[in-house]
Amino acid sequence: QIVTVAPSTHPKRLNVTRREGKVSINTEIMDAETVSELRKKRTFKKFTFRGIELDALLDLTNDELMDLVTARARRRMSRGLKRKPMALIKRLRQAKKEAEPGEKPRGIKTHLRNMIIVPEMIGSIVGIYNGKMFCGVEMKPEMVGMYLGEFAITYKPVRHGRPGVSAAHQTRFIPL
């Protein structure tokens, strides 16, 4: 039985080979070219939103985007973008502009849970208010057409434990 682990994409990762019960470890340090070649081999599925790739999605106008989203979002967009959502988009643009290339932009806090996520917001970090605190959420392409409020839960999910001893629930069985 021969087991071989392929070289990893990490430049200082160990290569392990197992032959007939004996294990040999190579501490081979790969050069930058080998690492870049291995990374090029990995192919990822391109993101598409209803058949449109990300680059084309970013270039869409509001009217073209309206045709791609759900009926409720389409109705909301047809009534125009109000002052508060426009101000949020303006602040997100400013944060993206101020960020260094390759860095994430600073987070922008908002109470606008009913704002529909548009392609221009992709890559931004938004602090969405849930009634108590701001939940930081990074906008991803999969979120387009959804509401900001869907990503900041407003309640703490119930963690069911053992039933307690109280007057109303004395009939419950409590193991000793």
Side-chain angles (χ1 to χ4, degrees):
Q1 176 184 356
I2 298 173
V3 178
T4 305
V5 177
S8 66
T9 56
H10 193 274
K12 293 184 180 178
R13 192 70 43 94
L14 300 176
N15 299 331
V16 179
T17 309
R18 184 181 296 166
R19 279 197 182 107
E20 299 167 7
K22 295 179 184 175
V23 177
S24 65
I25 299 175
N26 272 354
T27 55
E28 174 189 322
I29 298 174
M30 291 187 273
D31 58 339
E33 281 184 34
T34 315
V35 171
S36 65
E37 285 175 25
L38 287 171
R39 285 196 177 137
K40 283 179 189 174
K41 285 182 186 176
R42 298 186 305 169
T43 57
F44 297 102
K45 183 181 169 207
K46 273 204 158 183
F47 173 77
T48 58
F49 178 75
R50 312 228 172 148
I52 296 179
E53 290 187 7
L54 183 59
D55 299 332
L57 191 65
L58 293 169
D59 297 332
L60 291 179
T61 63
N62 278 349
D63 294 332
E64 293 168 336
L65 180 65
M66 273 176 47
D67 297 334
L68 299 175
V69 293
T70 58
R72 171 54 49 190
R74 193 166 40 247
R75 176 178 164 79
R76 177 109 186 271
M77 288 176 163
S78 69
R79 293 168 158 261
L81 207 58
K82 304 291 188 259
R83 197 178 88 219
K84 285 185 178 180
M86 201 61 220
L88 174 64
I89 288 179
K90 196 173 177 182
R91 290 182 65 203
L92 290 171
R93 274 189 208 134
Q94 185 67 30
K96 270 189 183 178
K97 197 189 310 180
E98 290 172 358
E100 295 176 24
E103 293 291 316
K104 290 183 180 181
R106 65 182 169 83
I108 303 295
K109 293 180 178 180
T110 184
H111 281 243
L112 300 175
R113 297 174 56 81
N114 63 350
M115 168 112 187
I116 296 167
I117 298 171
V118 293
E120 189 178 354
M121 297 166 76
I122 294 173
S124 301
I125 297 173
V126 181
I128 307 163
Y129 194 64
N130 68 358
K132 183 177 182 181
M133 56 184 267
F134 291 92
C135 302
V137 179
E138 183 179 351
M139 297 294 121
K140 299 217 163 59
E142 294 84 15
M143 298 177 177
V144 172
M146 296 178 166
Y147 290 92
L148 286 179
E150 293 181 57
F151 303 101
I153 193 165
T154 57
Y155 62 91
K156 189 174 180 182
V158 177
R159 297 177 64 96
H160 295 285
R162 289 179 45 199
V165 179
S166 65
H169 302 293
Q170 283 183 349
T171 57
R172 283 195 183 154
F173 172 71
I174 301 172
L176 298 173

